[in-house]
Amino acid sequence: MIVTWALGHLLGLRMPEDINKEWQTWQMETLPMIPKKLGIKPLPKTGGQLKAIGQLTKRKDVKEVVIATDAGREGELVARWILEWVRCDKPVQRLWISSQTDKAIKEGFRKLKPAKAYDDLYESALARAKADWLVGLNVTRALTVKYQDNLSAGRVQTPTLALVRQQEKQIESFRPQSYFVVELLVEDAKARLVQKNPYALKEHDQAQKLVDTMSQSNGRVTDVSEKIKTENAPLPYDLTEIQREANQRYNFSAKKTLSLVQSLYEEHKIVTYPRTDSKYLTHDMKLTMKERLQAVADFAPEVKQYIKNGAVVNQKAVFNDAKVSDHSALLPTEQRANYAKLTNDEQKIYQMIVSRFLMLFAKPHKKMQQKVTVQFGQETFNFTQNKVLEAGWKTSDEGKSSTVQWKKGSSVSPNFSINKELTTPPKPLNEGSLLGKMEKFGLGTPATRAEIIEKLIKSDLMERTPSGLQVSPKGKQLLELVNPALVSPELTAKWEKELEAIAHGKYSGQSFLQQIEKETKALVKEVKTSEKKYQDFALTQKKCPECGELLREKNTRDGKIYVCSNPDCKYHRRKDPKISNHRCPQCHKKMAIIESENGAFFKCKFCAITEKIPNKKERSKKMTKHEERRLMKKYSQAEEPEESPLAAALKAAMEKE
């Protein structure tokens, strides 16, 4: 077997300028761009690998090709485009695996299927790529040309941005209101007055009148009921849930979590395929449970007991073939982890996956729940207390239980308190809660959601803040300027369902694209005829020294920069000085690089000390670490003892002889 690679992607759809010369210039007259055939082209710097794959497929000793890219929609597209580009005419098989252990790979090779079995998946991936090209490029060009600023729109990213903005609007329109709550205290137990509207008591006098009325006589326990509640363990993670929980626990971005799980899957081979949308397992996976447990035997003391019990899964609902599409839930593989090779962040994610997996083998959580109803005339108070009968998969404490011995019909003294409270505003969306909303509305797939969030941030449409995600002034305007149909998540969710139907052979990719073409024409027409105004908030009052146009502030990986707003002018400069790794000799803090007419120099913003930046020749003269160590060793050795008088006399005597 010959193994070669695709480096993620080697090919992409041709860009407008590759299809039609008239489309090279961004202008309204050429929109919408609806090519009869899109076609593919190599991505930059991939020619060498494409040529190598082409040569391999043409070798006489190569009888067939096996697609072994990611077992999913995008993985299928990556491989099919390569085979199309190199004009492969040999039989093609598909390797479909969910983990990269030697055992899983060997098992996968024993169950190779003809690539034709995955043609519908390829059609779905192709339809998705073409739909994004049609909508994204056309609407982005229309908005950018019309409003003279880089305004990026897309069929998934725009409704995602709208979800964040909707939450912001709720926060902006929120007005805090004070209200009063009445509580009844019985020994160490406390309960609130039951009301249809919990905010009904707006004034203290209202609450006081109610308390005065109830205090005229004792209350009565009208009902005491006990019920055993059984709570089964949660299902294993899918990608979206682990991204949400890692964001909540460790403040990891969705992209970072995906990268960590991908590393555990590809490099360490200790978890299953990460880009899964399922929390379920197939029935045939029951046979693998013991080996997976043995791989994590040192993880917790109870694991050895689970193995002794025959690796019996107590959470029976996890096995459901109907709810596993391409890949099952995230699980540890049969390969033991080498913790020394895992980074701190990789360990955190691996522990989350293993902990959730082990819950499947634990017993259900059982508790006795006692509900008590106390009435003062027409007013009701409900007391609830829980007693844990069997902790099971839950290790967390349920909290202190009340010591009150309740009896139906017993009398209760009127011991009330009145507390003033304020209504709280909704919280801004963070990456975890946004992922949950994207999943609810069917925006994107588990594999693409993290990238969509990153794209919105890179396009300056959305920002990360300590309190959560925030739509930028540019993003707010975009949502006002773009077609309402593109803002609504319903349309995009409908498209995602149709793409899923194409993948299962229940809908035609051609019909889907015809519909997308109609939508594209309508979206572009809407932008063209719009009379809405746009204000560029990134435009500063600073003038370009080269052409005199205003400078625009732009975010980059390297910090904020100023760029000229004139598209024909290439002038740009940093907004703030770049911080180097060079340390100040006085305070030892990193020094800034200051650009001046006489060249660049280091400057400490704390001590105002300046230093010349050494040129290449001066830097090469610097002592290397090796030379430094050699000299340190030489001069740190203990000095040789001086020659003693006796030794000197003997030496002189020997010389005379």
Side-chain angles (χ1 to χ4, degrees), residues 170-191:
Q170 286 181 24
I171 296 165
E172 286 164 9
S173 62
F174 175 80
R175 298 289 175 271
Q177 292 182 337
S178 60
Y179 63 99
F180 293 87
V181 293
V182 176
E183 286 185 330
L184 171 64
L185 189 66
V186 180
E187 294 179 34
D188 60 348
K190 202 185 276 187

Short mmCIF file of all heavy atoms in Angstrom, two decimals, residues 170-191:
data_model
loop_
_atom_site.label_atom_id
_atom_site.label_comp_id
_atom_site.label_asym_id
_atom_site.label_seq_id
_atom_site.Cartn_x
_atom_site.Cartn_y
_atom_site.Cartn_z
N GLN A 170 -32.45 42.48 23.56
CA GLN A 170 -33.20 42.16 24.79
C GLN A 170 -32.54 42.81 26.00
O GLN A 170 -33.22 43.32 26.90
CB GLN A 170 -33.25 40.64 24.99
CG GLN A 170 -34.21 39.94 24.04
CD GLN A 170 -34.26 38.44 24.29
OE1 GLN A 170 -33.94 37.97 25.37
NE2 GLN A 170 -34.65 37.70 23.27
N ILE A 171 -31.19 42.79 26.03
CA ILE A 171 -30.45 43.40 27.15
C ILE A 171 -30.63 44.92 27.13
O ILE A 171 -30.85 45.55 28.17
CB ILE A 171 -28.94 43.02 27.08
CG1 ILE A 171 -28.78 41.50 27.25
CG2 ILE A 171 -28.13 43.76 28.13
CD1 ILE A 171 -27.42 40.96 26.86
N GLU A 172 -30.57 45.51 25.92
CA GLU A 172 -30.71 46.97 25.77
C GLU A 172 -32.09 47.46 26.17
O GLU A 172 -32.24 48.54 26.74
CB GLU A 172 -30.41 47.37 24.31
CG GLU A 172 -28.93 47.31 23.96
CD GLU A 172 -28.68 47.31 22.46
OE1 GLU A 172 -29.65 47.54 21.68
OE2 GLU A 172 -27.53 47.09 22.04
N SER A 173 -33.11 46.66 25.86
CA SER A 173 -34.49 47.08 26.16
C SER A 173 -34.89 46.75 27.61
O SER A 173 -35.96 47.14 28.08
CB SER A 173 -35.48 46.43 25.19
OG SER A 173 -35.43 45.02 25.34
N PHE A 174 -34.03 46.01 28.31
CA PHE A 174 -34.35 45.59 29.69
C PHE A 174 -34.31 46.78 30.65
O PHE A 174 -33.39 47.59 30.61
CB PHE A 174 -33.36 44.52 30.14
CG PHE A 174 -33.53 44.12 31.58
CD1 PHE A 174 -34.51 43.22 31.95
CD2 PHE A 174 -32.71 44.66 32.57
CE1 PHE A 174 -34.69 42.87 33.28
CE2 PHE A 174 -32.88 44.31 33.90
CZ PHE A 174 -33.87 43.41 34.25
N ARG A 175 -35.33 46.88 31.49
CA ARG A 175 -35.37 47.89 32.54
C ARG A 175 -35.57 47.18 33.87
O ARG A 175 -36.60 46.50 34.06
CB ARG A 175 -36.52 48.89 32.30
CG ARG A 175 -36.40 49.68 31.01
CD ARG A 175 -35.27 50.71 31.08
NE ARG A 175 -35.07 51.41 29.82
CZ ARG A 175 -34.28 51.00 28.85
NH1 ARG A 175 -33.59 49.88 28.99
NH2 ARG A 175 -34.14 51.70 27.74
N PRO A 176 -34.62 47.28 34.80
CA PRO A 176 -34.75 46.56 36.07
C PRO A 176 -35.96 47.04 36.88
O PRO A 176 -36.26 48.23 36.91
CB PRO A 176 -33.44 46.86 36.80
CG PRO A 176 -32.89 48.07 36.14
CD PRO A 176 -33.40 48.09 34.74
N GLN A 177 -36.66 46.08 37.47
CA GLN A 177 -37.83 46.41 38.30
C GLN A 177 -37.66 45.77 39.67
O GLN A 177 -37.22 44.63 39.78
CB GLN A 177 -39.11 45.89 37.64
CG GLN A 177 -39.47 46.62 36.36
CD GLN A 177 -40.77 46.10 35.77
OE1 GLN A 177 -41.18 44.97 36.04
NE2 GLN A 177 -41.42 46.91 34.96
N SER A 178 -38.04 46.53 40.69
CA SER A 178 -37.96 45.97 42.04
C SER A 178 -39.30 45.29 42.37
O SER A 178 -40.35 45.70 41.88
CB SER A 178 -37.66 47.06 43.06
OG SER A 178 -38.67 48.04 43.03
N TYR A 179 -39.23 44.23 43.15
CA TYR A 179 -40.44 43.53 43.60
C TYR A 179 -40.14 42.92 44.98
O TYR A 179 -38.98 42.88 45.41
CB TYR A 179 -40.86 42.46 42.59
CG TYR A 179 -39.85 41.34 42.39
CD1 TYR A 179 -40.00 40.11 43.03
CD2 TYR A 179 -38.73 41.52 41.57
CE1 TYR A 179 -39.09 39.09 42.85
CE2 TYR A 179 -37.81 40.51 41.39
CZ TYR A 179 -37.99 39.29 42.03
OH TYR A 179 -37.07 38.28 41.86
N PHE A 180 -41.19 42.47 45.64
CA PHE A 180 -41.02 41.93 47.00
C PHE A 180 -41.48 40.48 47.05
O PHE A 180 -42.43 40.09 46.37
CB PHE A 180 -41.83 42.78 47.99
CG PHE A 180 -41.28 44.17 48.14
CD1 PHE A 180 -41.68 45.19 47.27
CD2 PHE A 180 -40.34 44.47 49.11
CE1 PHE A 180 -41.16 46.46 47.37
CE2 PHE A 180 -39.82 45.75 49.23
CZ PHE A 180 -40.23 46.75 48.36
N VAL A 181 -40.73 39.68 47.80
CA VAL A 181 -41.10 38.26 47.97
C VAL A 181 -41.37 38.00 49.45
O VAL A 181 -40.70 38.56 50.33
CB VAL A 181 -40.00 37.30 47.45
CG1 VAL A 181 -39.86 37.40 45.95
CG2 VAL A 181 -38.67 37.53 48.12
N VAL A 182 -42.35 37.15 49.69
CA VAL A 182 -42.70 36.78 51.06
C VAL A 182 -42.22 35.34 51.28
O VAL A 182 -42.51 34.45 50.48
CB VAL A 182 -44.22 36.88 51.29
CG1 VAL A 182 -44.59 36.40 52.70
CG2 VAL A 182 -44.69 38.31 51.07
N GLU A 183 -41.46 35.14 52.37
CA GLU A 183 -40.94 33.80 52.67
C GLU A 183 -41.46 33.34 54.03
O GLU A 183 -41.62 34.14 54.95
CB GLU A 183 -39.41 33.80 52.68
CG GLU A 183 -38.82 33.89 51.29
CD GLU A 183 -37.30 33.76 51.30
OE1 GLU A 183 -36.66 34.16 52.30
OE2 GLU A 183 -36.76 33.28 50.29
N LEU A 184 -41.70 32.03 54.12
CA LEU A 184 -42.13 31.41 55.38
C LEU A 184 -40.97 30.57 55.91
O LEU A 184 -40.40 29.76 55.17
CB LEU A 184 -43.35 30.52 55.14
CG LEU A 184 -43.80 29.63 56.31
CD1 LEU A 184 -44.27 30.46 57.50
CD2 LEU A 184 -44.91 28.67 55.87
N LEU A 185 -40.62 30.77 57.19
CA LEU A 185 -39.52 30.03 57.81
C LEU A 185 -40.09 29.06 58.84
O LEU A 185 -40.80 29.47 59.76
CB LEU A 185 -38.55 31.01 58.47
CG LEU A 185 -37.23 30.43 59.00
CD1 LEU A 185 -36.35 29.93 57.86
CD2 LEU A 185 -36.47 31.47 59.82
N VAL A 186 -39.77 27.77 58.64
CA VAL A 186 -40.17 26.74 59.61
C VAL A 186 -38.90 26.01 60.03
O VAL A 186 -38.33 25.25 59.23
CB VAL A 186 -41.20 25.75 58.99
CG1 VAL A 186 -41.59 24.70 60.02
CG2 VAL A 186 -42.42 26.49 58.47
N GLU A 187 -38.45 26.27 61.27
CA GLU A 187 -37.16 25.76 61.77
C GLU A 187 -36.05 26.15 60.77
O GLU A 187 -35.82 27.31 60.54
CB GLU A 187 -37.24 24.24 62.01
CG GLU A 187 -38.21 23.87 63.14
CD GLU A 187 -38.32 22.37 63.34
OE1 GLU A 187 -37.31 21.67 63.15
OE2 GLU A 187 -39.43 21.91 63.69
N ASP A 188 -35.38 25.13 60.12
CA ASP A 188 -34.30 25.48 59.18
C ASP A 188 -34.74 25.39 57.72
O ASP A 188 -33.92 25.45 56.81
CB ASP A 188 -33.09 24.57 59.41
CG ASP A 188 -33.43 23.10 59.21
OD1 ASP A 188 -34.63 22.77 59.12
OD2 ASP A 188 -32.49 22.28 59.11
N ALA A 189 -36.05 25.25 57.51
CA ALA A 189 -36.57 25.17 56.13
C ALA A 189 -37.22 26.50 55.74
O ALA A 189 -37.83 27.18 56.56
CB ALA A 189 -37.58 24.03 56.03
N LYS A 190 -37.10 26.85 54.45
CA LYS A 190 -37.60 28.13 53.96
C LYS A 190 -38.35 27.90 52.64
O LYS A 190 -37.91 27.09 51.81
CB LYS A 190 -36.40 29.06 53.72
CG LYS A 190 -36.75 30.54 53.73
CD LYS A 190 -35.53 31.37 53.38
CE LYS A 190 -34.66 31.63 54.59
NZ LYS A 190 -33.55 32.58 54.29
N ALA A 191 -39.46 28.59 52.44
CA ALA A 191 -40.21 28.47 51.18
C ALA A 191 -40.83 29.82 50.82
O ALA A 191 -41.20 30.60 51.70
CB ALA A 191 -41.30 27.41 51.30
#
